[in-house]
Amino acid sequence: MMERAESCQKLYTRLRLWEFPDEYVIEPTDGSSASSLKINRADASMKLIDAIPECGSVRVPKIQTIFGVVGMLKLVAGSYLIVITERECVGSYLGHPIFKVMSLRILPCDHSLKTSPPEQKKVESEFAGLLKVAEKTCGLFFSYDTNLTLSAQRLNDLGDESKLLPLWRQAEPRFLWNNYMLEVLIDNKLDPYLLPVVQGSFHNFQAAIGKEIVDITLIARRCTRRNGTRMWRRGADPDGYVANFVETEQIVQMNGFTASFVQVRGSMPFLWEQIVDLTYKPKFEIVKPEEAPRVAERHFLDLRKKYGSVLAIDLVNTTGGEGRLSEKFASAVQPILSDDLRYIHFDFHKICGHVHFERLSILYDQIADFLDKNGYLLLNDKGEKMKEQLGVVRTNCIDCLDRTNVTQSMIGRKMLELQLRRIGVFAAEETISSHTNLDEKYKILWANHGDDVSIQYSGTPALKGDFVRYGKRTVQGILNDFYNALGRYYFNNFSDGTKQDAIDLLQGHYIVSVSRDMTPPSQKGGLEAVAHFPAAFCLVSLGLFFTILSLSQARYDLRHLFFSALWATISIGIAAVVKANGRIFCNRPRLHKPRR
């Protein structure tokens, strides 16, 4: 009966989940009259059925509406089905509705655990706990009708045969967030249930330009090859895949024309890292420096195959630890520079400081010829290609978040003006700034985009977001940056290790092996048994608070000087112990079996 799904390529848009004591049944309820999918809760076996099993006093099901099946993961003994329980329509992509995942639910198929040994149950429980973290994954989007993993240009270039394939088979694997989780469903030939999901950002708006209406969409697609959190995923892997690689596409639709412009961001493409050690800014370490040219070559070869010519813009400082990384980047890429690969270093902080971001015009003057030569996609009202994008700008800073987003928004603004002039909406010297409504909405679009990408990588909204949002630095924006910087410090040290484990599990970067060593971790005594980073962080903060409080009272009573010194000593002592034993507290990844 499994073959029945092969010929049906349209995805089910609404489903009903029946939770029986011994099985799950997923019933299409979108009027398709298709077979339902039954999943055994003991061994996770699947098959299609024509009728819902009978209910009775012993088999009373729970019933819930769901909106898609994300996939399935197998752990040590059990398997876990992941479904979408809430969605929100956030706009359209080239005329097709786009939905944001508002809530995921993990459905365990783990009844076999009842007969598993205690060690296996313990390990299973630890991994299942990571799935609870995964349930909170943010920035997931999908469409039932179009392939959200492909840019407008790549969609336009799809052949007729490819367009007839199920969406998951058309998908770009780099941006298919649930690629690994779909494997079990693919093996069972369940095409109508195979819902492609991307992680990133999706925002759009409409604005008036005179009597005309312009529709602008901004999409971010996060690559899954080296996915992770800020301090736990840096640089590149030996194959050239880099951390925080994001494809950003800006789409303009007006007067029947469709224009698309793609940019990318990603960590510096060689092996480097920052080991979390409780300092605010851990030292940058270059790993296997002799491998840097080879890794960079592989990275840029892949980019050129996918996008054409590449212009790499490096925004990091020329001094300190960032300077060492920038020097390594420049030297690694030097042997492979060509007409198809350019490299520009622009010291963002030195030239623009913290408030003069208008000086990015200096950078634009250096790259305007590349943008003019490599252009953008332009389709007329018949869908015919009038122009295509022949190259891509690749931007990086250290995190590829804050400086990068300011720079990309500047480039996107310039390209939008060029596109509107080409369509005939703007005069030769007309700019976005001359249209207040368009200008304000466009700034908010890019600010929200930057916040989304930043939250997924660092846990907080982007820094310098006030400039992107308002066109200038503000006191409130600077205060927000300080608050978000503290938030990043906390997440890096106290929660991102566990989050990284969950990401690695979902993406298949680490696969749980049934034959792995099931010996539970040895129990540590003394300090290691009770040490806990958040608690230590609170104690240090409390100690500093009392230190300041005592100092403020010292002018009235000199005894407070003694107490302030005491509290300061306690705070410093706790911090010193925590740093010396950073290994004890840090949430370092605990997964050990890499996917081959």
Side-chain angles (χ1 to χ4, degrees):
M1 297 184 68
M2 301 298 287
E3 294 78 10
R4 213 175 285 181
E6 290 181 334
S7 60
C8 181
Q9 294 165 6
K10 188 170 178 62
L11 291 168
Y12 301 137
T13 58
R14 185 179 291 266
L15 304 150
R16 183 180 292 126
L17 171 66
W18 300 72
E19 294 182 59
F20 291 96
D22 58 341
E23 62 192 5
Y24 299 112
V25 176
I26 299 176
E27 175 193 12
T29 57
D30 55 2
S32 57
S33 301
S35 298
S36 300
L37 175 63
K38 184 173 76 169
I39 302 115
N40 190 296
R41 295 183 67 167
D43 60 9
S45 59
M46 302 178 181
K47 71 175 182 177
L48 294 173
I49 57 176
D50 291 324
I52 302 299
E54 292 185 7
C55 307
S57 57
V58 178
R59 299 184 79 245
V60 179
K62 295 178 183 178
I63 302 174
Q64 179 181 10
T65 296
I66 62 174
F67 301 98
V69 178
V70 172
M72 178 174 280
L73 282 174
K74 181 169 180 56
L75 300 185
V76 178
S79 294
Y80 297 80
L81 187 70
I82 306 172
V83 299
I84 299 169
T85 54
E86 293 182 52
R87 69 181 184 190
E88 178 185 341
C89 186
V90 292
S92 63
Y93 178 57
L94 303 175
H96 302 287
I98 302 301
F99 297 91
K100 182 177 182 179
V101 175
M102 304 305 294
S103 179
L104 292 174
R105 187 179 170 201
I106 309 293
L107 303 173
C109 303
D110 60 355
H111 287 186
S112 60
L113 271 179
K114 295 176 182 177
T115 57
S116 300
E119 294 84 359
Q120 199 174 63
K121 288 180 180 178
K122 183 171 183 177
V123 175
E124 182 82 4
S125 176
E126 180 181 357
F127 283 110
L130 293 178
L131 295 183
K132 291 297 182 182
V133 176
E135 271 187 325
K136 301 174 184 177
T137 302
C138 62
L140 302 180
F141 298 86
F142 66 92
S143 171
Y144 299 111
D145 305 309
T146 190
N147 199 327
L148 204 53
T149 67
L150 299 182
S151 66
Q153 181 160 306
R154 296 192 67 187
L155 276 173
N156 185 262
D157 291 342
L158 277 181
D160 292 337
E161 290 186 7
S162 296
K163 292 177 182 177
L164 295 175
L165 295 173
L167 287 182
W168 72 269
R169 294 193 64 186
Q170 299 176 24
E172 164 59 69
R174 293 179 302 154
F175 302 128
L176 185 57
W177 178 78
N178 56 333
N179 190 21
Y180 173 62
M181 291 174 274
L182 286 177
E183 288 183 0
V184 174
L185 280 74
I186 292 171
D187 291 342
N188 283 281
K189 301 185 171 110
L190 297 168
D191 285 349
Y193 291 94
L194 294 166
L195 179 65
V197 176
V198 300
Q199 185 180 33
S201 176
F202 184 95
H203 296 281
N204 65 358
F205 72 87
Q206 290 185 336
I209 302 178
K211 296 182 180 180
E212 307 292 342
I213 300 296
V214 61
D215 188 300
I216 300 178
T217 300
L218 197 59
I219 307 170
R221 304 176 178 96
R222 178 175 294 280
C223 181
T224 63
R225 299 301 170 101
R226 190 166 169 75
N227 202 1
T229 57
R230 180 169 170 252
M231 290 294 183
W232 301 96
R233 282 292 180 271
R234 291 296 209 187
D237 65 15
D239 294 321
Y241 295 115
V242 296
N244 202 25
F245 185 88
V246 180
E247 178 184 278
T248 295
E249 181 182 18
Q250 179 177 281
I251 299 173
V252 182
Q253 293 177 287
M254 191 173 191
N255 293 343
F257 291 94
T258 298
S260 163
F261 176 66
V262 171
Q263 304 181 66
V264 297
R265 70 178 76 190
S267 194
M268 283 179 275
F270 52 91
L271 279 63
W272 63 277
E273 62 186 13
Q274 274 183 291
I275 301 297
V276 176
D277 62 0
L278 279 186
T279 57
Y280 177 72
K281 196 171 184 179
K283 290 175 60 177
F284 300 111
E285 297 291 343
I286 299 174
V287 182
K288 297 182 179 179
E290 70 281 0
E291 289 287 298
R294 183 190 64 81
V295 174
E297 183 177 19
R298 297 192 70 167
H299 174 74
F300 283 107
L301 178 62
D302 183 60
L303 285 188
R304 289 164 65 187
K305 284 180 179 178
K306 290 181 169 65
Y307 298 102
S309 298
V310 179
L311 170 61
I313 301 176
D314 180 16
L315 301 172
V316 304
N317 301 342
T318 54
T319 58
E322 288 194 14
R324 288 194 302 110
L325 293 179
S326 183
E327 288 175 7
K328 176 56 68 175
F329 187 8
S331 64
V333 77
Q334 184 63 38
I336 56 174
L337 294 179
S338 65
D339 291 340
D340 293 332
L341 175 59
R342 286 175 55 189
Y343 168 85
I344 291 178
H345 180 264
F346 183 84
D347 191 330
F348 187 101
H349 284 153
K350 182 178 180 180
I351 298 172
C352 299
H354 294 286
V355 292
H356 296 294
F357 297 165
E358 72 279 357
R359 293 176 183 168
L360 279 171
S361 60
I362 298 171
L363 173 62
Y364 182 74
D365 291 341
Q366 297 179 54
I367 66 174
D369 60 331
F370 180 90
L371 296 173
D372 183 61
K373 178 181 178 181
N374 291 283
Y376 51 86
L377 171 73
L378 182 63
L379 305 176
N380 63 19
D381 55 358
K382 297 178 182 178
E384 298 168 338
K385 186 187 294 184
M386 302 175 63
K387 186 179 177 67
E388 66 179 327
Q389 185 170 345
L390 303 174
V392 71
V393 177
R394 180 203 191 277
T395 309
N396 77 269
C397 47
I398 287 297
D399 300 326
C400 306
L401 296 177
D402 312 316
R403 288 170 277 184
T404 294
N405 203 63
V406 173
T407 303
Q408 284 196 337
S409 68
M410 177 273 291
I411 296 172
R413 172 180 284 261
K414 295 290 188 180
M415 292 304 296
L416 176 58
E417 292 172 346
L418 291 175
Q419 291 163 345
L420 293 176
R421 290 182 192 123
R422 174 67 184 270
I423 293 172
V425 178
F426 272 9
E429 301 300 322
E430 197 169 358
T431 65
I432 294 172
S433 301
S434 59
H435 299 269
T436 304
N437 187 40
L438 173 63
D439 188 36
E440 290 179 353
K441 289 185 175 181
Y442 187 77
K443 288 173 182 173
I444 292 171
L445 180 82
W446 269 95
N448 291 339
H449 171 87
D451 286 346
D452 288 347
V453 174
S454 179
I455 287 169
Q456 290 160 30
Y457 188 52
S458 73
T460 75
L463 308 185
K464 304 177 178 66
D466 54 336
F467 179 81
V468 180
R469 194 176 296 274
Y470 306 115
K472 61 182 180 180
R473 293 247 62 183
T474 64
V475 173
Q476 184 61 50
I478 293 171
L479 291 175
N480 287 341
D481 283 359
F482 176 73
Y483 174 78
N484 288 329
L486 289 178
R488 288 182 181 182
Y489 173 80
Y490 177 84
F491 292 132
N492 295 159
N493 287 282
F494 307 142
S495 66
D496 278 355
T498 300
K499 185 177 177 181
Q500 184 66 58
D501 282 354
I503 292 171
D504 287 338
L505 196 61
L506 289 180
Q507 304 289 293
H509 298 318
Y510 290 88
I511 300 176
V512 181
S513 172
V514 177
S515 61
R516 64 176 295 198
D517 181 10
M518 292 301 171
T519 305
S522 59
Q523 298 298 314
K524 300 182 183 294
L527 178 64
E528 295 192 20
V530 297
H532 187 51
F533 256 168
F537 184 78
C538 290
L539 286 172
V540 172
S541 301
L542 193 63
L544 292 175
F545 171 76
F546 282 121
T547 300
I548 295 170
L549 190 64
S550 298
L551 280 174
S552 68
Q553 298 296 319
R555 56 181 173 173
Y556 305 113
D557 188 342
L558 291 178
R559 288 181 301 174
H560 286 286
L561 281 175
F562 168 76
F563 288 113
S564 63
L566 177 64
W567 282 112
T569 302
I570 292 173
S571 300
I572 294 170
I574 293 174
V577 170
V578 169
K579 182 174 180 181
N581 295 277
R583 177 185 57 81
I584 301 170
F585 302 101
C586 285
N587 289 312
R588 295 191 182 279
R590 298 176 301 280
L591 303 175
H592 303 291
K593 186 178 176 61
R595 186 184 183 192
R596 298 298 181 188

